[in-house]
Amino acid sequence: MATSPRLRRIRRNWQLYLLVAVPVAYFAIFKYIPMANAVIAFKDYSVLDGIWGSEWVGFRHFRAFFDNPVFWTLVSNTFILSAYFLLASFPIPIILALALNEVRRGFFQRTVQLVTYAPYFISTVVVVSMTILILSPSVGLANDALGLFGIPSIDFLGNPDYFRHIYVWSDIWQTAGYSAVVYMAALSGVDPGLYEAARVDGASRLQKIIHVDLPGIMPTAAIILILGVGNIMAVGFEKAFLLQNPLNLSKSEIIATYTYKTGLLNADFSQATAVGLFNSAVNLVLLIVVNRVAKRVSGSGLW
Amino acid sequence: MVRESRTDRLFMVAVYVLLATFLAVVLLPLLYILASSLSDPNAVSSGRVTFWPVDFTLRGFQVALSDPQILVGFGNSLFYTAVGTFVSVSLTLMLAYPLSRRDFVGGGLLTRMIVFTMLFGGGLIPTYLVVKSLGMIDTRWALIVPNAIAVWQVIIARTYLRHSIPRELFEAAEIDGASHFRVLWSIVLPLAKPMIAVIALVYAISQWNSYFDALLYLKSDDLYPLQLVLRNILVLNTQSNGMDVATAMERQQLADLLKYSLIVISTVPVLLIYPFVARHFTKGLMIGSVKG
């Protein structure tokens, strides 16, 4: 039998296929079957009939969600939180990396780097409880500090107006140092000849940053921004869920937390899946749009 | 040597001030938690602690470490971290090695298939239904298997294997008649140790810090990892049943102190390894940023 070279290569490397078999099964079972399971968003899922036996209801669950009075609150909470988070968390690691890059390599630089990097390794549960403790109206550090200026104590987590700031800034506190490392790596890859040229041209330090450093990290920045957009809906969930309390719910209830509550606490599987699917679709569209924009602006994107 | 101009010197002062501010903003909350955890419960409750312990005591740690619930959680987390990391690293290498081979027919398609799962997923409930139908609800498997492979880690490992191990080594081994299993065992494992260490640490830390899968899939509290126990005590304010202290007042004060001590206890193991591995992490991140 005549075999193509392709087939021969496959046969010769059969062990590679044996190796990937288990990981491939993993992706099929835990990633692709759930995508297929998502058809229950278009059905009335009942445990007895199973996923495929349940009755089709078309877009009823989506319509129910769109008509639900909470829909606009959820969508706007999710969007505002995401946009605020992206806008605030994007420039700070860049500023930190540029500043670290200016100071001489030594004790001070290493200390700042080591300390700002560390919170990345603290779990979300712990960061949230630190936030709650520090902002606590009775014993918290924040209110003690305000007290020094004669400001009466504020129940930060009990007031919905503060929720977004707490969410965003505690996250920046945790991740800015980590994100800066990526930019530091990008900066170390900048061609030294460019610095040389800038010096010959008599550029000040600030001009050097603007004309050499910033263009040097642009591709990295674009990728980080795209990944940030792609992760928002996923990352946001755990933290919003933990920071949430009945008092701040009007601003802290986002699509992801709502999905969890409808789905697992109220056992409305189909409705929750429809909401989750809507969330994923929005996320995917966002990602595609940002990728396209980033490609146009900086010439580099994820694909 | 060119002398620094006035504006440049001024600029450098601004840079140092900025960095010092960053340092303070990150460090002070950590110091506050640490100081509180080492202070007298009474001082903590009355808000007298700032960045230095007041009436130094190890009371909080004693209470935390004598609480059965916390100890069980700690032990469970050790188990999940050890077993989970082993499973994750093994699966990641089994996928990354073939994907790093240019003669692996279908590798491009497979890469696209797994990267797609980073961009789009079925969602919480559809995944829950899979885990449920596999009978994993309320078993230790649920915390190890459903999130065993991180796509990002596979990409880092694949890129490393493709660019950092000379191709000639693989070719020589094949000429000598080594199978792919043999290559993986005798060449990849020893030569890729730095990369494997980085991947293992990333998996270990994320496993140690995760709570959400436990919240979703576990019902019996003797399986709870530490983070879920922490959430119940720290965020939900559930009193731990290990405390049998006389008066309600003292009990409340101890409960407050316990929170600070718990934060320190759960975080210290991770932060202790951190300075030793920070250098490798930086390297790992750079590997990840290389386009493959």
Side-chain angles (χ1 to χ4, degrees), chain B residues 9 24 33 74 78 107 110 128 137 165 291:
Chain B
R9 262 179 299 166
I33 299 288
F74 204 91
L78 283 177
L110 189 55
Y128 178 86
I137 300 293
I165 297 184
K291 276 199 176 165

Side-chain angles (χ1 to χ4, degrees), chain A residues 223-279:
Chain A
I223 289 179
I224 302 269
L225 191 61
I226 302 167
L227 284 176
V229 173
N231 275 333
I232 272 172
M233 306 295 189
V235 173
F237 174 56
E238 290 203 3
K239 208 162 154 192
F241 183 65
L242 287 169
L243 275 173
Q244 220 166 54
N245 63 42
L247 294 174
N248 63 28
L249 215 52
S250 65
K251 293 278 162 62
S252 66
E253 188 82 301
I254 56 176
I255 297 176
T257 53
Y258 181 78
T259 314
Y260 170 77
K261 287 175 194 165
T262 340
L264 286 181
L265 304 185
N266 299 340
D268 192 346
F269 284 11
S270 285
Q271 175 69 44
T273 305
V275 178
L277 214 52
F278 170 77
N279 193 36

